[in-house]
Amino acid sequence: MTPEPILALRDVSVQLGGRKGLLRRTVPPVRAVSGVSLELQEGEILSLVGESGCGKTTLGRTILGLQRESAGEILLDGASVGGLPSDAARRARRTIQYVHQDAAAALDAWWSIGRTLAEGLLIHGVRDAGERRDRVVAMLSAVGLDPASARRYPQEFSGGQLRRVALARILLLQPRVLILDEPTSGLDMSVQATVLNLLLDLRERFSLTYLFISHDLSVVERLSDRVAIMYLGRIVEAGPAKELFADPSHPYTRTLLAAAPRLSGRRASGQSLVRGDPPSHATALPGCAFFDRCPIGEPACQASMPPLEPIASAHDVACFRAAPSGAAASVHHRATTARSAASSDIVSPLRISSAKPSLGTITVRQ
Amino acid sequence: MIPILRKLGRDLPAMLGLGIVLVVLVIAILGPLLAPYPEDAAAAHLLRRLKPPSAAFPFGTDNLGRDIFSRVILGARGALSIALTVVSTAMAIGVPLGLIAGYRGGWLSETIMRVTDVVLAIPQLVLALALAQLMSPSIESAMLALSLTYWPFFTRIVYAETRRLSASLFVDALRGIGASTPRIVFLHILPNAISPVIVRATIGLGFTILVAAVLGFLGMGATPPAPDWGLAIAESRTYLPRAWWYATFPGLAILITVMGFNLLGDGLRDIVDPRLRRSR
Amino acid sequence: MMPVLSVRGLKVSIHTDDGLASILDDVGLELERGRILGVVGESGCGKSTLIRAVMGILPKGASVDGGEIWFEGENLLAFSEAELNTGVRSSRIGFIPQDPLLALNPVFKVGTQLLEVMRWHAPDDGSRGNARRARHVARLVSLLRRMQVPDPEQALESYPHQFSGGQRQRLLIAAALACAPGLVIADEPTTALDVTTQHQILLLLRELVAEFGISLLFVTHDFGVVAELCDDLCVIYAGQTVETGTVRSILDAPAHPYTRALLACHPDRATSFLGIPGTVPSPFARPSGCLFAPRCLDVRPLCLSARPPQGRSSSGAEVRCVQYA
Amino acid sequence: MSRHGRLGRRELGGLAIGAFAAGALRSAQAADATTFVSGFGLPINLDPHQIFDVPMQAVMLNAYDNLYRYQGDPPKIVPWLAESHTVSADGLTWEFKLRSGVKFHDGSPLTADDVVYSFRRMLALALAPAGAFLKILKPEGVTAPEPLVVRFKLETSYAPFFAAIPSISIVNPRQIKANEKDGDWAKSWLASNGAGSGSYRIVPAGYRPLEYLDMEIFDGHFLGWSDNPKPVRKIACRPTKESSTRLLALLDGSLDCTDTNLPADQVAQINASKIAYVQKDVVMRTFIIRMNNTKPPFDNLNARRCFAHAFNYMGFITDILGGYATRDPYPMPDTLWGIPKDAKGYDYDLAKAKEYMAKAVAEGAPMKRPFELHVQSENEQSVQGAQLFQSDLAQIGINLKVVGNIWSNLTTAAAKPETTPDMWVHWVSTYFVDPENWVGQMYDSQFHGTWKASAYYKNPEVDALLRKARALTKQEERAPLYEEAIRKIMADSPDIWIYNSMQLQGLNKRIKGRRFCTVGQGAEMRWVTLAS
Amino acid sequence: MLRFVLRRVALVLPSLAGLLVVTFLLIHAVPSDPAVAMAGDAATPEQIERLRKQYGLDRPIWEQFAVYLGKVATLDLGESAFTRRPVARDIVQRLPATLELTFCALALSVFIGVPLGVMAGLKHNTWPDYLLRVFSVLGIAVAAFWFAIMLQLLFSMQLGWLPLRGELDVSIARPTRVTGFLLLDCLIAGRLDAFADAARHLVLPAVTLSLGGLATIVRFTRAGVLDTLQHDFVFYERAMGYRRLRLIWIYVLRNSVTATVTQIGLLFGGLIAGGVVVEAIFDWPGIGSYTVQAILTGDRQVMLAVTLLVGTVYAGVNILVDVVHGLLDPRLMERT
């Protein structure tokens, strides 16, 4: 029996936008996140991976409480904290904090770093100015910044330093769960490394749990305990990082892995496993959202949405064609090949789909 | 603040504007000390009417024999106080409304912005003249009318800025750490939104001086014997083109002052315009 | 064989409000015909200034203080702005920008913009007026089809925002190739794209180099992309070329301490996330010795006093480091 | 710009290019010898039974005829459409004998019925021109016993009746009735059309309210044109709105005459020009600073006298008005009959003013409170007068605030003593030539509530004198009564009477044959000839 | 597109209603009694009282407003108490003159201001930029009435090139009224002499009126160009070898004028109301002097009608501005 998760999402959906009007074009709301379930164990790093527009940031904001879920349940330490308007949601979830992707834009350029950091403490009830100052100084040192930088303004910092400032600001609030939204995007490789290092270090020191949102598979692979892959608002595969990278089951996961540029990788040539553009909600069709880009799709995939189901212990996949681990050796084999070398032997989706193997598995799943 | 001044320092027209504004300010403050005939604010000297410029009267004299040079100097205070009163009143009305409308959204925002539209559509002159009638023509009614027609400009600017800022990441981050709405709006959004407001206000100061002069010209602004620049030009019309000095010097005073505020505002705008911030 | 593009000892500085900044100190590279040269460097190392210098479009206040840029046997630095504009840009050097969303003029139809380029730079085949235009349209349509842009005719009539990022980048690649240049310069063309799209674009570029007989100068900060795409590699640090050679040789055996440190940061190789200590020296005050010396783990006294000479590593790469002198 | 006010184009004549360009571009501005471009202001509409003010006179005198008309300077009332009249001994029945052969512009003959119709229309509309008649004449009191005889039966004897007869224009009922809507007496139609018999006819297409009005000669006018062989054939009214434009247009030759409010300061400039000059005419138009006698301290005689002595009459007239006005210490024009020539007015004497102030203060009058003097802000002269007064009062320690205001607000305010300002400035023009136009309506307390009586002066003796004079018909009998009343009024000093106007009008030198009369201020055009 | 315009029109209507209420209340708060003014100088209190009854001025304000609203709904703007003419007719007669003047002034500002603004933007922070900025600001700062008189003195009095005032010489017969726009009517009637004369009369007032707008247009075009020049596509277009002139005057300019177009919209409203002074000086028979006259006489129907008119024109121009925005930038249209 696993311990009680620190944070759990049950079937959470989020709708965005939408408007009606007599003289305005009616725009239906977009289901940015649909039916996502996640559990975050104390102390682990769970990575949320997907291409732009897959809903990972929306999901992060929903967990935080800045975006209200339209359905589902959010549990913090086993207690429901869902269904609240944003102010109340933030109060209930103050142990969850969020670190923005663009650290510079997340800081008020008119406020010095020291004031900005102290402001968080003030909001969280630290009335004594001296105490605030001391804690800010201590935290700046903890994230590897000169305490004298408290007097400086955001525009005087480099990208890497700003990430540290952003972390310091959040850590002052003594969170337990951090949602890190692409914390290294836009950073140079050398800086990215130091920031990741800091993140691991801080997790130890402050006993943090990370929800790590990223599209960079090489970073995710090295950092995460568990990984969840999102595609068009749904989680299509989730499992322990090692297992998932070693044995990707969903065709989309495999696509992503195959597409990521690798230092070791000889250049791809000829046809690619990867087809089509990243999807948008506007063009979504019934059935499996990945169908139009899927190398192994078959007509049945268009009929209904495949549910997220376990194929191994703690490893879930939402695909009718993905066999449980070991049961679909060929797929497994192709995936690993795709990852490690050129993907020439799986590039013909036609061949695979025309073979129509294992219709039986679908019946089993139903 | 320092970088702003440094950037401004390289912008010659803006420095010219700043210089003019400072000089006008000094003149406004020290007016009665600088004017050779401070009593000419109200006196009448029938024997020296409409004298052309001379050593004794560098700008000549007006229809009641008053020294135009003194009156131009004495007029600075009035012009500036009208401008400052109008612009600060308009800001006091417009800025909070813009903040509320921009941050809250919904029906309140809609209502505020529709009212703003309505007021923007009222011809400024009609309102000014109607108020002048309502309260009898005076500097006060002119100021009220101008304030009442000028605030929507601030509302619109602040509204747009607030909309932009409340969608920005740093406000999002503040919400994330649990900052209260008043804290976000007044301590964070307001300072960030204030730059375009200051620019608009600076240009507005010049604009107000000019419109006040037009109201004076139409007999709806300052009342005699106030040493008002617009009024002086209005009074001078009868004596044009013979007494050319009568209109010219108050006209130049308006021209230079308005130009000063505009140049300064333009320069500030170049610096604080978020669209231009990327440059260099 | 003469290289298509050869840059030697290029120096570019820029007058700013804070003084004179040395952006490019000593950059050299050679791009052989039909090959893909990757130029890799971290932000601020001068990659985009290098591109701008080659295109002849330096930012305000910048000037070339030394060096040569030879393109197909001609010194580009001797070209006037008008000569570059009429005789080089697009017609002989194509350009693929970094961010496809920002590079297209948002208020003009794609076709208008691409045809504008062709109108001035497409090779003259004697046709004029409407016939010439029709021929241009036909060429664009076939190019777009080759780029796997669906419904090319419709695409020309659409506005940039109506395309996805990947499609836009395909449009821009088509534009770069439209006037049949010999050299194409690509400025981080996949940075703004999703990983699957990036993969597709890289494949496409690889094919096009052979198919259209072009040489490609590919600027990036991502070693992974270089590994996937490029033949040769040029590593730049603080406005200097520090290592050049074939991709294979450098990735297999990086010679310059900077290259080594940088590769060690890559998640694919990193053993721990240590990064490179220190920061890039300010362009306003470059150290007198090796520019990397303050951050180098293998620094020697000599490094701090004099600029390191050009050397050659065991794998055949040219390296600017005393270790290989 | 020339600094000498002489805009001689010759100064620039040396510039060959300029001269060439001017020659090439200048349009046929050379005025046409039969078109008169008039700068008289336009009335707010063209119906003489609705509007009765100075600008209306310029339309009325040219486009309409009256039974009698004021002519000459000083004005005499002379037969016009009427050949003669008789009045009964009790002053109640008036009979006017009309000329024969008078034709309206549409060619139809003008008869007594038309006159009756005109008076009845005027009474029915009951607007400004009816002011003098409403109380004394009922519609059925106007009759036409014979085709060319009009009879008026008055309700009470009213001497100014005859003086007011020239203010009523005779309109053509046939045209009016054709354009009547819902029994409105065609007041909408006539507001922008003409239906008269005057020397000129209104060209409806040439009219845009307040902007321009074209009138063309009516060859069939009853007086004929034998007395003016070369008349103006077209009057183009193009009033100016700006005083500087007015001046320039006159000097430019594109305007033949200005309106009659030319400021004295422009006189020298115009007279220095080759093309125009300033005509000075004495008119009956008095300039007055009113005091609200109901508001303390103006209820105190000494206070009022203090103010009356503090105005620099001659300084104002000599220096500001350039002498183009005559000091008139009486409450009406000193050229009119009924003036007690022996009565002495108030003069500028700050010492006396101080004395009176001390007395007033001793009597408890609040002389230290700030006072408001309302002026019509668009009128330069009233503003200057006010400022002069302000400056002098400041010397004796009285704090006066000059408040700019507009006519309609002022007349509204003057309808009640509480809202009437402390002081305000206005002129009283000649609506009809009779003391009734001035003292009669200004100081008889029965007129309280009208702007003319806005001093709210009440003196039962004066009331009695004025009422008695009003009911008598003979000037010899009335004159002593007015003289007596004026003496009493002047002793009470209810207002500050300043001057009687001299009318200044800029005229093009090509104008010949202009005949001036204070009523109409020289706007009647039928004798004017334009020299080439 | 149609949906876009309809939506904008629908949004404007409540604003206009609000405008009407505000103006109605405001105008009725003015103490000046229209009956007094209407009755004229020589009127007696009884006459005034009668008029007050006749025009319903003695009735409660909401009743007066209801009556007025009913009339406005049928496009009847009432009758001026003074001119005795239907206000709508007066406005129809005068508005074209004002519009003609405003259009010409705006055209002048745009055709001069946009190129100057582009030049200032291109020469950012150099002497040409400084000079252009100072000169354009001079345009705003100079008092229109003073400038107008100077123009009159120079061009009419001294040089004699242009007429002093009015819209047509007295010696020239007016063309038949078709559109009300004098220049157009001259052309329709084939009266070239009248057209030339009318055009000459238009020059000085239009130049005077264009001054204030000129500076605004220079200012916003300059800012727009500066902004556009920051965009990556400008570098891209240069790198692709666009011809410099075409790059600036077509590709950069179209991206730069959005804010300028907005300002032109705002200016238009301002010019109509602000042309009063210019109309007065040049005796231009437009709506401006009519408005001032109405205010001075307390002619409520006219004041209301003019406010409604200016509000409508303002709203209409703003809709037009939005349409132009949509044409300039196709992305905007799709957001609706």
Side-chain angles (χ1 to χ4, degrees), chain D residues 160-172:
Chain D
F161 168 75
F162 186 57
I165 277 291
S167 64
I168 304 306
S169 298
I170 306 307
V171 298
N172 183 344

Side-chain angles (χ1 to χ4, degrees), chain E:
Chain E
M1 184 75 184
L2 183 67
R3 182 205 289 262
F4 173 82
V5 174
L6 282 178
R7 183 177 132 70
R8 290 304 318 255
V9 172
L11 278 179
V12 155
L13 289 177
S15 296
L16 287 181
L19 176 66
L20 209 55
V21 174
V22 171
T23 323
F24 198 87
L25 290 176
L26 198 69
I27 286 171
H28 282 256
V30 168
S32 171
D33 185 342
V36 173
M38 223 185 299
D41 279 0
T44 60
E46 293 76 26
Q47 282 174 276
I48 293 166
E49 198 45 51
R50 193 170 351 178
L51 280 169
R52 204 171 281 138
K53 281 228 166 55
Q54 193 180 338
Y55 285 90
L57 297 170
D58 53 342
R59 286 196 260 152
I61 184 161
W62 61 84
E63 256 184 73
Q64 295 187 39
F65 186 63
V67 170
Y68 185 69
L69 263 191
K71 281 189 180 169
V72 169
T74 58
L75 286 183
D76 174 4
L77 297 177
E79 189 182 72
S80 159
F82 296 93
T83 65
R84 291 278 168 211
R85 290 157 54 97
V87 176
R89 193 173 128 200
D90 276 351
I91 285 178
V92 164
Q93 204 172 48
R94 286 161 173 272
L95 189 60
T98 294
L99 287 181
E100 202 163 54
L101 179 59
T102 309
F103 275 128
C104 289
L106 258 186
L108 267 179
S109 319
V110 170
F111 285 118
I112 298 172
V114 167
L116 289 186
V118 171
M119 269 156 18
L122 292 177
K123 304 274 179 195
H124 185 209
N125 278 352
T126 59
W127 275 104
D129 177 31
Y130 296 158
L131 286 178
L132 279 172
R133 276 165 63 191
V134 172
F135 276 112
S136 70
V137 163
L138 271 180
I140 279 190
V142 73
F145 41 86
W146 183 80
F147 186 75
I149 293 171
M150 293 302 123
L151 285 183
Q152 285 179 325
L153 285 174
L154 181 62
F155 290 101
S156 305
M157 303 307 291
Q158 298 236 354
L159 300 174
W161 293 355
L162 293 164
L164 187 71
R165 65 182 187 119
E167 58 170 2
L168 201 62
D169 198 273
V170 288
S171 62
I172 291 178
R174 301 191 142 260
T176 329
R177 186 188 161 90
V178 183
T179 61
F181 292 89
L182 188 57
L183 287 176
L184 285 182
D185 284 350
C186 289
L187 289 179
I188 290 170
R191 293 274 310 282
L192 286 182
D193 61 324
F195 180 83
D197 189 67
R200 280 159 29 79
H201 276 82
L202 195 57
V203 175
L204 293 186
V207 166
T208 311
L209 197 56
S210 71
L211 268 194
L214 184 70
T216 308
I217 287 171
V218 169
R219 174 185 285 168
F220 280 86
T221 309
R222 173 179 173 275
V225 166
L226 283 179
D227 177 38
T228 306
L229 290 180
Q230 306 292 315
H231 281 100
D232 289 4
F233 67 78
V234 179
F235 174 73
Y236 176 69
E237 284 166 355
R238 285 186 68 193
M240 294 306 282
Y242 279 39
R243 287 292 185 273
R244 185 175 163 78
L245 287 180
R246 291 176 62 83
L247 175 69
I248 290 165
W249 295 102
I250 298 175
Y251 291 92
V252 169
L253 188 59
R254 182 159 161 192
N255 279 281
S256 308
V257 292
T258 313
T260 311
V261 171
T262 308
Q263 289 304 314
I264 292 173
L266 289 175
L267 277 175
F268 197 89
L271 285 182
I272 288 188
V276 172
V277 171
V278 174
E279 287 189 8
I281 290 177
F282 291 102
D283 289 323
W284 197 257
I287 208 83
S289 48
Y290 188 60
T291 311
V292 172
Q293 180 71 36
I295 291 167
L296 291 180
T297 53
D299 197 336
R300 293 177 176 181
Q301 302 295 332
V302 177
M303 281 197 269
L304 276 169
V306 167
T307 310
L308 193 60
L309 174 86
V310 175
T312 311
V313 170
Y314 175 85
V317 167
N318 275 314
I319 293 174
L320 199 66
V321 162
D322 286 343
V323 170
V324 172
H325 278 163
L327 294 176
L328 281 174
D329 188 343
R331 291 169 298 179
L332 296 177
M333 201 67 91
E334 285 177 17
R335 276 184 215 152
T336 331

